[in-house]
Amino acid sequence: LSDDDCSLIDLRDGEDAAVMVVIYRDSAQEGKIAANTHSPVVLNLKSRRGMQKILKSIEPALIFRGR
């Protein structure tokens, strides 16, 4: 996050942050479950404020497969 992003959610300490991704069922991929890793939700657990951060690119790409 940029300094401006941290200011928006009053985040001063990285230990107060939680990062989550939105999980969805992708109908275009035969109903497989997918995660939106390009727009994680960042929460400040201390101030109870959060934001969804849109990332332009992610390196490396992550692929998770369940068995």
Side-chain angles (χ1 to χ4, degrees):
L1 295 177
S2 69
D3 289 341
D4 289 338
D5 293 334
C6 290
S7 292
L8 283 173
I9 61 172
D10 196 26
L11 184 63
R12 296 183 182 120
D13 186 350
E15 291 192 19
D16 294 332
V19 179
M20 296 183 240
V21 295
V22 176
I23 306 294
Y24 63 96
R25 189 172 298 275
D26 191 346
S27 60
Q29 295 291 322
E30 301 173 6
K32 292 181 181 176
I33 294 178
N36 181 356
T37 56
H38 291 280
S39 300
V41 176
V42 181
L43 300 173
N44 180 336
L45 301 174
K46 192 172 187 178
S47 71
R48 299 178 58 112
R49 298 180 80 185
M51 66 181 295
Q52 187 169 16
K53 178 68 176 180
I54 299 172
L55 305 173
K56 294 182 181 183
S57 66
I58 297 175
E59 297 291 333
L62 300 173
I63 299 173
F64 295 98
R65 292 191 174 90
R67 295 182 192 240

